[in-house]
């Protein structure tokens, strides 16, 4: 194509090509502007990335409820908002013992500006060292005796602990130094009733306290107290932390390094009394309405209003709103099985008289209805457990209380979901009537160490199953011993079954069959029969101790029994199988 050399722009092909180039540049610029606008719009529509602080408080509380105590402490250090939320979960539950260190920790927590407002439950371990204090020789002797008992017990259950060698004397002496320190710390608290004063001071600042447990280290587990709580599962003891499953077993205590102790019951006849009285007085002083109260083992004398001491009757209306009440009563003096091993016939006779006499006195107090009146004033109960433990271990027929002594049988608790009864005597009809009246709400039922005086378990089980529709319940179980009497004309004889203890060597196969009978509609035959009756076995330690008894063989067994029983000169009759309340002179 021709082109003027003097005028390169004369190229006819160049002219038309410049316009598209300008158009293309303009289009590109417009497209870039559109892309920029779209990106800006897209960035405006994109949601802002959330942080922990953007979550609502309800979610943050849920997060805290699943954190261990160490993580909650870190959580609280983030900022003021998270610090206040974390404080609600830092110490909702406190575990303490009667010891200067524990009480100092309580006062420290109570003086904090935030913590005491969020404490919801207190667990008071009622272990206490017996007095007077042992000297070194006595302590070493007790240690060696305890080692022998441990070996004997572990050997019975095929545990490796049976082969553990005795502790060297140097370690025992070191343990004794710790024993003296703990005993002295305990005396500092009890000598001037400082426990009463400090608890009043501390509890008064815990304005949201709802739950109290007073317990030896095996009667109640954590979870029986707080399982219904909506708050987190953290607890505190002496600055440590532990799991929620078993607080009193797993937390550190002042007694962990002591080897010689067969028991931590303290003064005989006062088991748990001081601890329960002190904490109830503090609750009364603060005017706190509790939702949950668990107490056990508590010596029966605590309920004797005639003595003039502070007790449940002194609480006014502060217990009326309880939704959970668990009570385990000790009806007689706690006995060390080895006391029998070292006793002669006269001493053994006296010990038996002391036990039986105290149980009869407990019966007299219970028949005044002191516990029944207490329970009657708790209309909102959801969980109720009443029990009597270790009632005349050497006589299955003496029970410290009747069902009608501890429960208002004509009363209905509309919200009752769980019922446990232990160590009581009753009749088939009154037990069935009370339980069936609560069938619309009741989901759990446990009977343990119960006696039907003139009626039969073989009739009770089918009645409960039919009337309660037990297959729709969560759990129905029977443990310990079940005593009754045949009701048929040709079978009016004693009934006796033993069904074990799931917390001590496990339930028996018969107990499992009974539970299946209640829960499985396909099981139609009552598992209890004359053929599978069995007596209650001797205690693991007691039977071997008696075998080693120094006067065995010297006194024939029938004469020994007559010596023990014949020496009981009770008011109301010398026969322990008789009912002293049939005699008006008993009172």
């Amino acid at each position: 194509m021709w082109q003027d050399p003097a005028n390169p722009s004369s190229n006819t092909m160049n002219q038309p090509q410049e316009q598209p180039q300008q158009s293309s540049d303009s289009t590109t610029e417009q497209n870039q502007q559109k892309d920029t606008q779209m990106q800006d719009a897209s960035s405006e529509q994109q949601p802002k990335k959330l942080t922990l602080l953007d979550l609502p408080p309800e979610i943050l509380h849920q997060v805290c409820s699943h954190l261990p105590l160490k993580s909650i402490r870190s959580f609280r250090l983030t900022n003021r908002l998270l610090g206040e939320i974390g404080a609600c979960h830092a110490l909702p539950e406190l575990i303490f013992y009667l010891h200067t260190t524990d009480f100092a920790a309580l006062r420290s927590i109570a003086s904090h500006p935030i913590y005491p407002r969020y404490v919801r439950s207190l667990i008071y371990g009622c272990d206490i060292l017996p007095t007077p204090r042992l000297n070194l020789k006595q302590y070493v002797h007790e240690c060696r005796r305890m080692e022998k008992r441990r070996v004997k017990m572990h050997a019975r259950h095929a545990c490796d602990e049976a082969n553990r060698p005795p502790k060297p004397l140097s370690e025992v002496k070191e343990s004794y130094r710790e024993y003296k320190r703990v005993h002295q710390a305990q005396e500092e608290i009890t000598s001037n009733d400082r426990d009463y004063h400090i608890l009043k001071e501390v509890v008064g600042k815990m304005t949201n306290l709802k739950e109290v447990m007073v317990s030896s280290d095996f009667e109640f587990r954590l979870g029986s107290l707080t399982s219904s709580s909506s708050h987190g599962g953290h607890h505190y003891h002496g600055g440590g932390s532990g799991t929620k499953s078993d607080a009193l077993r797993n937390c550190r205590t002042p007694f962990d390094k002591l080897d010689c102790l067969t028991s931590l019951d303290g003064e005989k006849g006062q088991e748990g009394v001081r601890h329960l009285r002190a904490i109830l007085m503090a609750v009364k002083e603060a005017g706190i309405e509790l939702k949950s109260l668990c107490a056990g083992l508590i010596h029966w004398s605590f309920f004797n209003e005639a003595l003039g001491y502070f007790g449940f009757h002194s609480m006014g209306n502060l217990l009326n709103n309880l939704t959970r009440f668990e009570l385990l009563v000790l009806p007689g003096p706690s006995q060390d099985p080895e006391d029998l091993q070292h006793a002669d016939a006269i001493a053994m006779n006296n010990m038996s008289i002391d036990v039986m006499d105290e149980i009869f006195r407990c019966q007299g107090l219970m028949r005044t209805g002191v516990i029944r009146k207490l329970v009657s004033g708790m209309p909102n109960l959801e969980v109720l457990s009443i029990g009597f433990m270790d009632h005349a271990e050497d006589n299955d027929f003496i029970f410290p209380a009747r069902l009608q002594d501890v429960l208002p049988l004509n009363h209905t608790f509309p919200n009752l979901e769980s019922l446990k009864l232990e160590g009581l005597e009753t009749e088939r009809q009154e037990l069935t009537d009370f339980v069936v009246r609560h069938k619309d709400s009741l989901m759990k039922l446990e009977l343990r160490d119960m006696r039907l005086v003139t009626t039969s378990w073989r009739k009770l089980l089918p009645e409960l199953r039919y009337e309660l529709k037990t297959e729709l319940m969560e759990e129905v179980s029977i443990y310990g011993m079940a005593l009754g009497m045949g009701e048929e004309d040709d079978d009016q004889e004693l009934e006796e079954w033993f069904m074990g203890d799931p917390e001590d060597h496990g339930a028996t196969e018969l107990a499992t069959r009974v539970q299946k009978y209640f829960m499985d509609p396909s099981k139609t035959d009552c598992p209890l029969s004359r053929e599978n009756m069995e007596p209650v076995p001797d205690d693991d330690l007691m039977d071997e101790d008696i075998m080693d008894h120094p006067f065995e063989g010297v006194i024939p067994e029938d004469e020994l029994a007559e010596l023990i029983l014949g020496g009981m000169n009770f008011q109301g009759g010398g026969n322990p199988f008789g009912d002293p309340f049939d005699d008006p002179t008993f009172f």
Side-chain angles (χ1 to χ4, degrees):
M1 183 174 291
W2 179 85
Q3 178 177 357
D4 185 354
N7 184 12
S9 63
S10 64
N11 187 345
T12 56
M13 292 299 294
N14 288 342
Q15 189 67 31
Q17 286 179 352
E18 288 187 9
Q19 289 299 329
Q21 181 67 35
Q22 294 173 358
S23 176
S24 175
D25 292 344
S26 175
T27 302
T28 301
E29 197 172 312
Q30 291 175 0
N31 288 340
Q32 288 176 347
Q33 291 176 354
K34 289 181 180 179
D35 290 343
T36 302
Q37 291 174 356
M38 291 178 64
Q39 287 175 0
D40 292 342
S42 175
S43 63
E44 289 177 2
Q45 294 174 1
Q46 221 172 23
K48 179 185 175 182
K49 185 177 289 187
L50 292 176
T51 67
L52 189 64
L53 298 176
D54 295 315
L55 295 175
E58 295 81 4
I59 300 298
L60 294 175
H61 279 289
Q62 285 293 324
V63 170
C64 284
S65 69
H66 295 282
L67 292 178
L69 185 57
K70 185 177 180 180
S71 297
I72 286 181
R73 288 170 177 164
S74 301
F75 182 90
R76 295 192 62 234
L77 296 176
T78 307
N79 60 28
R80 178 170 295 183
L81 172 64
L82 299 186
E84 292 178 355
I85 291 176
C88 302
H89 302 267
L91 296 172
E93 183 170 81
L94 303 179
I95 304 169
F96 63 99
Y97 290 81
L98 200 153
H99 189 274
T100 51
T101 303
D102 286 25
F103 274 74
L106 279 178
R107 298 185 86 169
S108 175
I109 292 169
S111 64
H112 192 275
I114 297 177
Y115 287 155
R117 286 181 289 158
Y118 297 104
V119 174
R120 285 184 54 86
S121 87
L122 291 176
I123 300 181
Y124 195 0
C126 59
D127 291 345
I128 186 170
L129 293 176
T131 54
R133 186 191 310 171
L134 302 176
N135 59 38
L136 177 59
K137 183 177 180 180
Q138 292 170 325
Y139 188 87
V140 172
H141 173 75
E142 287 296 299
C143 285
R144 298 310 184 204
R145 188 168 70 93
M146 278 300 297
E147 286 174 344
K148 291 179 181 179
R149 290 186 63 183
R150 290 192 189 107
V151 168
K152 185 186 298 184
M153 182 173 63
H154 290 311
R156 283 170 173 258
H157 302 290
C159 297
D160 293 336
E161 290 291 319
N163 300 318
R164 187 174 67 176
K167 279 193 173 185
L169 183 60
S170 59
E171 292 187 22
V172 176
K173 288 183 177 180
E174 179 64 30
S175 174
Y176 180 69
R177 284 191 284 272
E178 176 67 11
Y179 165 79
K180 287 201 301 182
R181 187 189 67 80
V182 173
H183 208 290
Q184 181 178 353
Q186 176 181 292
E187 290 176 345
E188 290 178 12
I189 291 285
T190 58
S191 59
N192 298 313
D193 291 340
R194 290 181 60 204
D195 49 337
Y196 290 88
H197 301 304
I198 294 176
L199 282 176
K200 285 183 180 181
E201 169 194 333
V202 167
V203 172
K205 298 178 181 180
M206 298 176 180
T207 54
N208 287 310
L209 183 66
K210 298 299 179 185
E211 304 173 342
V212 165
M213 176 192 289
V214 177
S215 173
S216 65
D217 64 352
F218 58 91
E219 298 313 333
F220 295 112
R221 275 47 170 197
L222 185 69
S224 67
L225 179 65
T226 57
S227 58
S228 61
S229 173
S230 60
H231 289 255
H234 313 292
H235 62 270
Y236 172 89
H237 178 268
S241 64
T243 61
K244 183 179 179 181
S245 60
D246 200 350
L248 288 179
R249 279 185 181 271
N250 294 336
C251 78
R252 292 174 295 174
T253 80
F255 315 104
D256 290 341
K257 298 180 181 179
L258 309 185
D259 299 314
C260 78
L261 303 175
T262 58
S263 68
L264 291 165
D265 297 328
E267 185 179 353
K268 299 296 182 183
Q270 292 294 310
E271 293 84 352
V273 170
R274 183 187 189 100
H275 300 72
L276 181 57
R277 180 168 291 136
I279 202 164
L280 286 182
M281 289 178 71
V283 169
K284 173 69 180 297
E285 183 88 4
I288 294 174
E289 293 188 1
L290 295 175
K291 290 293 185 181
S292 175
L293 176 59
C294 302
L297 285 169
I298 306 298
H299 191 267
W300 66 272
S301 62
F302 178 84
F303 302 90
N304 192 349
E305 300 176 10
L307 296 177
Y309 296 118
F310 190 97
F312 284 124
H313 62 283
S314 311
M315 294 297 291
N317 297 326
L318 294 179
L319 302 181
N320 288 10
N321 290 323
L322 284 178
T323 58
R324 184 184 199 104
F325 183 54
E326 297 189 40
L327 181 64
L328 191 58
V329 181
L330 182 65
S334 55
Q335 294 279 350
D336 186 338
E338 291 213 357
D339 288 344
L340 293 176
Q341 183 178 0
H342 302 289
D344 57 21
I346 302 300
M348 187 174 181
N349 180 34
N350 291 335
M351 281 189 286
S352 298
I353 292 175
D354 291 342
V355 171
M356 302 304 296
D357 178 59
E358 194 159 342
I359 290 177
F360 279 129
R361 290 164 59 202
C362 176
Q363 281 182 337
L365 180 61
M366 292 303 116
R367 294 201 180 189
T368 65
V370 60
I371 294 181
R372 180 181 65 245
K373 297 170 187 174
L374 175 65
V375 175
S376 299
M378 304 174 182
N380 302 316
L381 285 176
E382 298 173 8
V383 177
L384 176 60
S385 175
I386 304 289
F388 291 78
M389 191 175 181
D390 294 336
H391 58 283
E393 290 184 345
D394 52 351
N395 195 322
D396 300 336
F397 298 90
I398 301 178
F399 284 71
R402 305 169 299 182
L403 184 65
Q404 60 185 292
D405 297 333
V406 300
L407 290 183
L409 296 181
N410 296 322
H411 188 79
T412 300
F413 300 91
N415 303 317
L416 189 63
E417 298 178 2
S418 176
L419 176 65
K420 178 181 176 181
L421 303 171
E422 177 177 358
L424 300 168
E425 64 180 16
T426 182
E427 294 289 7
R428 170 175 58 83
Q429 298 87 343
E430 67 178 10
L431 177 60
T432 302
D433 289 346
F434 182 81
V435 172
V436 170
R437 192 179 307 117
H438 298 86
K439 65 179 181 180
D440 292 337
S441 61
L442 197 63
M443 297 303 294
K444 293 183 179 181
L445 174 64
E446 180 179 330
L447 305 176
R448 185 186 293 247
D449 291 333
M450 298 285 288
R451 179 192 178 198
L452 304 180
V453 180
T454 64
T455 46
S456 172
W457 286 89
R458 288 173 291 167
K459 285 196 172 185
L460 174 67
L461 265 63
E463 280 185 4
L464 290 179
R465 173 176 168 162
Y466 175 76
E467 296 289 349
L468 287 179
K469 295 182 170 51
T470 53
E471 68 274 9
L472 302 178
M473 298 174 64
E474 294 179 12
E475 181 181 350
V476 180
S477 53
I478 300 174
Y479 297 120
M481 61 182 180
L483 299 174
M485 191 68 66
E487 294 188 53
E488 303 298 332
D489 291 338
D490 58 346
D491 189 21
Q492 294 181 347
E493 296 182 7
L494 175 68
E495 298 177 337
E496 186 175 16
W497 293 274
F498 180 70
M499 301 191 214
D501 184 346
E503 298 166 4
D504 184 15
H505 310 317
T508 64
E509 186 271 339
L510 180 59
T512 303
R513 287 172 54 197
V514 168
Q515 194 170 39
K516 289 181 178 179
Y517 172 74
F518 283 124
M519 309 310 296
D520 187 349
S522 66
K523 307 291 184 182
T524 57
D525 296 331
C526 177
L528 301 183
S529 66
R530 281 281 174 202
E531 288 69 31
N532 61 14
M533 285 197 304
E534 59 176 324
V536 180
D538 290 332
D539 181 85
D540 280 347
L541 294 175
M542 281 291 293
D543 53 5
E544 191 159 324
D545 290 338
I546 292 175
M547 287 175 60
D548 297 335
H549 203 283
F551 57 76
E552 184 187 10
V554 178
I555 303 177
E557 187 173 321
D558 57 336
E559 293 183 18
L560 178 60
E562 184 177 352
L563 171 65
I564 295 172
L565 297 179
M568 297 181 182
N569 298 316
F570 296 111
Q571 295 174 334
N575 181 4
F577 297 96
D579 190 341
F581 304 98
D582 293 336
D583 187 342
T585 64
F586 181 79
F587 297 99

